Amino acid sequence: MIIRVVGIGPAGTQWLTAEAKKAIQWANVIIGTERQLESVNELIDSSQKTYAYESVHKDMTDFIDAQMEKDLPAEAHPKGKFRKWHIGIVVLASGDPSLYGVGKYLIKRYNREIVTICPSISSIQYLFAVAGQDMNDVYLTSCHGREVNFDRVFNMPKTGLLTDDKLGPFEIAAEAKRRGLNPRMIIGERLGYPDEHVEIAYASEVPDRSYGLNVVIVINEEV
């Protein structure tokens, strides 16, 4: 059984590639968070099974393991279609699965022979485009549950950061000010959604407030 990790972009189906749509429509089982499943609901029909997970490392993999034991053949596809490489399971990934996404984890756990990646644009790529900034020589990193090398961030001309609710725009700005720096920051909230908001400010101007789902670009103009 093939596991296809499908990037769904920043939000909604408008950023899905044709290959991503086909993978979702051909899958026996589609796995994602409740938000991800809702965003592609129009592509899923009643013959397909969906599963909403909370933990990538526990309930998602337990569920996948159970499905792998069944190993449904191509002939059992609910739509009665045939393919040389039958996609049994699709795992949805916000943005691009290979940019601090679930792709690396699933390949390591199940190996490259059965896990394939269907890429998409990431929210960082999207924000660079919306802000009219090129991505040449950019440093990409993530604040999601990991230590960030801020010395490196502030020594690069441009950095794109995937943030979380613990380390967001205000905390990044504070790290810059602690080093006596005042880089320009582009903050993108709820990218791709109708209430998308993009704000540009220097670190000294970034307010301490609650931010929605966001991405930050740091531009060190003196580097």
Side-chain angles (χ1 to χ4, degrees), residues 41-107:
N41 185 59
E42 64 190 74
L43 301 174
I44 302 171
D45 66 35
S46 58
S47 67
Q48 295 168 290
K49 184 175 183 178
T50 60
Y51 180 76
Y53 71 88
E54 294 183 4
S55 169
V56 170
H57 301 284
K58 182 55 181 172
D59 56 318
M60 179 208 277
T61 50
D62 285 349
F63 180 80
I64 291 176
D65 289 346
Q67 300 304 306
M68 296 291 284
E69 289 178 3
K70 298 176 183 178
D71 195 18
L72 298 175
E75 291 80 2
H77 192 280
K79 294 181 174 63
K81 299 177 181 178
F82 300 86
R83 294 188 72 183
K84 180 178 179 181
W85 296 108
H86 172 55
I87 302 170
I89 299 173
V90 156
V91 177
L92 304 177
S94 297
D96 187 277
S98 299
L99 182 59
Y100 294 98
V102 71
K104 178 182 177 180
Y105 173 75
L106 291 178
I107 286 175

Side-chain angles (χ1 to χ4, degrees), residues 33-179:
T33 65
E34 289 187 5
R35 181 175 65 85
Q36 291 167 346
L37 289 169
E38 182 179 353
S39 70
V40 299
N41 185 59
E42 64 190 74
L43 301 174
I44 302 171
D45 66 35
S46 58
S47 67
Q48 295 168 290
K49 184 175 183 178
T50 60
Y51 180 76
Y53 71 88
E54 294 183 4
S55 169
V56 170
H57 301 284
K58 182 55 181 172
D59 56 318
M60 179 208 277
T61 50
D62 285 349
F63 180 80
I64 291 176
D65 289 346
Q67 300 304 306
M68 296 291 284
E69 289 178 3
K70 298 176 183 178
D71 195 18
L72 298 175
E75 291 80 2
H77 192 280
K79 294 181 174 63
K81 299 177 181 178
F82 300 86
R83 294 188 72 183
K84 180 178 179 181
W85 296 108
H86 172 55
I87 302 170
I89 299 173
V90 156
V91 177
L92 304 177
S94 297
D96 187 277
S98 299
L99 182 59
Y100 294 98
V102 71
K104 178 182 177 180
Y105 173 75
L106 291 178
I107 286 175
K108 184 177 180 180
R109 180 179 176 90
Y110 297 106
N111 77 57
R112 296 177 186 275
E113 293 182 0
I114 63 169
V115 179
T116 62
I117 304 293
C118 181
S120 178
I121 68 166
S122 70
S123 52
I124 292 178
Q125 289 174 286
Y126 179 95
L127 181 56
F128 267 95
V130 169
Q133 298 287 325
D134 68 80
M135 294 187 69
N136 300 342
D137 302 316
V138 67
Y139 170 52
L140 304 178
T141 190
S142 173
C143 303
H144 288 236
R146 62 194 302 273
E147 293 290 328
V148 177
N149 186 340
F150 280 108
D151 289 333
R152 185 174 186 185
V153 167
F154 298 120
N155 276 288
M156 301 296 287
K158 292 170 286 190
T159 299
L161 299 103
L162 296 166
T163 65
D164 61 17
D165 56 359
K166 294 180 180 179
L167 210 168
F170 180 74
E171 290 76 20
I172 294 168
E175 290 286 347
K177 290 185 287 184
R178 191 173 295 122
R179 291 165 172 76

Side-chain angles (χ1 to χ4, degrees), residues 179-190:
R179 291 165 172 76
L181 303 173
N182 193 29
R184 188 154 52 98
M185 294 174 59
I186 303 172
I187 304 165
E189 297 178 78
R190 293 187 59 77

